[in-house]
Amino acid sequence: MNMQEYSDAELIKAVTGGDQRAFERLILRYQDAVARFIWRLVPSPEDREEVCQDVFIKVFMNLHQFKSDSKFSTWLYSIAYRTAISSARKKRPQFDKFEEHPDEGRGPEAVGEGEELSRLLSREIARLDVEERAIVGLYHLQECGIDEIAGIMEKPSGTIKSILFRVRKHLKDRLSLQLVGVAEIGDML
């Protein structure tokens, strides 16, 4: 049967009952989303895979503690966030180690105006602290709501809104400055 035919709750019940294949289905359902989330938080490509593996190990080891009163994805992203934060504490972020995601750029020779904006935005997001990157990633890429992000990060919704507002303004200001600089250079050529 197709894994989409089973709800998260059904798969979780099967896993806690000893069904290893049900856990494989959960991993397949969420591995790409978790990888995209971790990619935004962990600068080192070598560490990203390890963090993703750690997330799913922690999920497996603690699945019996999952309370079905919240969404499984919220619980999963909470584990992913805490695991990424723990990894970041062990290693100071190195902004120059963030490379463009394969979907975000095609190399300098193919960079047009839209790609340039995407590249600049990716670079500026990489310079945010890990908490800010997590909020931006959860909200814009994972399409989580403010309340869900608050649950994942164990912070009040107002705090999440405030951080998101501040980060958006910061990114807008930084991009505006850079794009004006790029336009001025273009005008000189």
Side-chain angles (χ1 to χ4, degrees), residues 70-165:
S70 68
K71 289 174 41 178
F72 175 72
S73 60
T74 301
W75 185 74
L76 174 63
Y77 284 130
S78 180
I79 291 171
Y81 172 70
R82 287 192 307 272
T83 304
I85 293 293
S86 176
S87 174
R89 285 186 187 132
K90 291 176 191 170
K91 300 175 183 186
R92 299 276 310 158
Q94 297 174 359
F95 302 119
D96 58 338
K97 282 191 144 187
F98 276 96
E99 71 273 345
E100 287 189 25
H101 192 279
D103 297 332
E104 293 181 21
R106 289 169 277 180
E109 65 281 348
V111 174
E113 197 171 295
E115 286 92 359
E116 178 67 8
L117 179 59
S118 178
R119 187 183 63 74
L120 290 172
L121 181 59
S122 291
R123 188 174 67 209
E124 289 305 318
I125 289 172
R127 290 189 168 135
L128 299 172
D129 72 36
V130 70
E131 179 180 82
E132 293 168 336
R133 285 194 313 268
I135 291 170
V136 168
L138 286 167
Y139 188 80
H140 289 287
L141 301 175
Q142 306 308 119
E143 299 178 355
C144 294
I146 297 292
D147 291 335
E148 187 174 3
I149 297 169
I152 290 167
M153 299 182 78
E154 299 176 347
K155 294 187 178 290
S157 295
T159 300
I160 299 300
K161 282 182 188 178
S162 175
I163 292 170
L164 188 58
F165 177 80

Side-chain angles (χ1 to χ4, degrees), residues 55-68:
V55 167
F56 284 107
I57 289 169
K58 289 176 182 180
V59 167
F60 182 75
M61 300 300 288
N62 296 294
L63 196 56
H64 65 282
Q65 296 176 356
F66 171 68
K67 307 277 189 277
S68 58

Side-chain angles (χ1 to χ4, degrees), residues 5-53:
E5 295 176 23
Y6 295 100
S7 70
D8 287 350
E10 290 170 325
L11 289 173
I12 291 165
K13 184 176 181 181
V15 172
T16 56
D19 184 350
Q20 295 289 330
R21 296 187 78 173
F23 188 66
E24 291 172 17
R25 288 183 176 131
L26 272 177
I27 290 174
L28 288 172
R29 183 174 288 172
Y30 287 100
Q31 70 183 356
D32 290 343
V34 168
R36 282 190 304 272
F37 179 61
I38 295 298
W39 185 89
R40 289 282 180 197
L41 303 180
V42 179
S44 168
E46 303 83 40
D47 294 338
R48 291 176 190 149
E49 186 174 335
E50 183 179 330
V51 171
C52 286
Q53 289 173 354

